Structure formats: C-alpha cells, structure tokens
C-alpha cells in the first residue's frame, strides 16, 4: 500500500481575504454569464415575436398560426403582444409584403 501525504505549508495557504476575493470573483463571473445569457434570450424572444407576427399574418389568424406552428394560442398571443410593445405592427408587416 502506498500512502501519499500532503503537507500544507501555513505560509502558502490563502488568507481569508484571498479566499473571499476568489469567491467574489467566481460569483461576479456567474452573474456576468447570466446577464449575457439574458440579453441573448431577450433578443431571441424579440426575433421570435416578429416571426410569430408574420406567421399570424400568413396563416390568417392566431388560431390557425397556433396550429401551424404547433404552439399554444396563449404563446402566440404573448409573442404578438411583445411584437406590439417593440413597435412591430402586423398591419405594417402585411402592407410591406404586398
């Protein structure tokens, strides 16, 4: 049997301050990662809202778009509301396409 012993030199051990700083650094990195991911999610939701708006226009109504997209009507309505909040008007989309 081989026994491995590690010796910790008290002079080399990180101080409480260093441990706290390292923990805070990791926490800030985690918060930064979440913030960046949230920005990506908001952008993707905005793009999806525009696409759903176009789908409703193409399919004719919310129910048909819901069935065609395999998406609950409530989700379609939520994305339509997001598109309206972002200033995307389904009527403008229809006029621009014709």
């Amino acid at each position: 049997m081989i026994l491995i012993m590690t010796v910790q030199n008290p002079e080399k051990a990180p101080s409480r301050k260093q441990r706290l700083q390292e923990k805070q650094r990791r926490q800030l990195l985690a918060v930064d990662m979440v913030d960046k991911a949230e920005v990506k999610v908001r952008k993707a939701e905005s793009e999806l809202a525009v696409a759903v708006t176009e789908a409703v226009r193409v399919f004719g109504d919310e129910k048909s778009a819901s069935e065609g997209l395999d998406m609950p009507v409530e989700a379609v309505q939520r994305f339509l509301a997001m598109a309206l909040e972002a200033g995307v008007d389904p009527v403008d989309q229809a006029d621009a396409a014709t």
Side-chain angles (χ1 to χ4, degrees):
M1 180 166 102
I2 299 174
L3 180 62
I4 299 175
M5 294 179 56
T6 59
V7 178
Q8 289 187 348
N9 187 343
E11 297 171 359
K12 300 285 183 178
S15 68
R16 286 184 297 202
K17 181 179 177 180
Q18 289 170 323
R19 288 191 308 267
L20 178 60
Q21 287 173 333
E22 177 61 20
K23 182 179 180 180
Q24 288 174 333
R25 183 188 69 79
R26 289 191 319 265
Q27 290 172 338
L28 288 172
L29 282 173
V31 168
D32 189 47
M33 286 174 52
V34 169
D35 287 347
K36 287 178 182 178
E38 286 178 334
V39 168
K40 289 178 182 179
V41 166
R42 282 193 298 276
K43 182 179 178 189
E45 284 182 331
S46 294
E47 291 173 1
L48 185 55
V50 171
V52 168
T53 299
E54 177 64 11
V56 169
R57 188 187 67 74
V58 170
F59 281 96
D61 61 23
E62 294 174 13
K63 185 174 185 299
S64 298
S66 168
E67 292 169 0
L69 298 172
D70 194 26
M71 180 183 288
V73 174
E74 295 81 12
V76 170
Q77 292 169 342
R78 184 174 68 89
F79 286 118
L80 288 173
M82 287 175 62
L84 286 173
E85 287 176 11
V88 176
D89 186 1
V91 174
D92 290 343
Q93 292 282 329
D95 291 343
T98 57

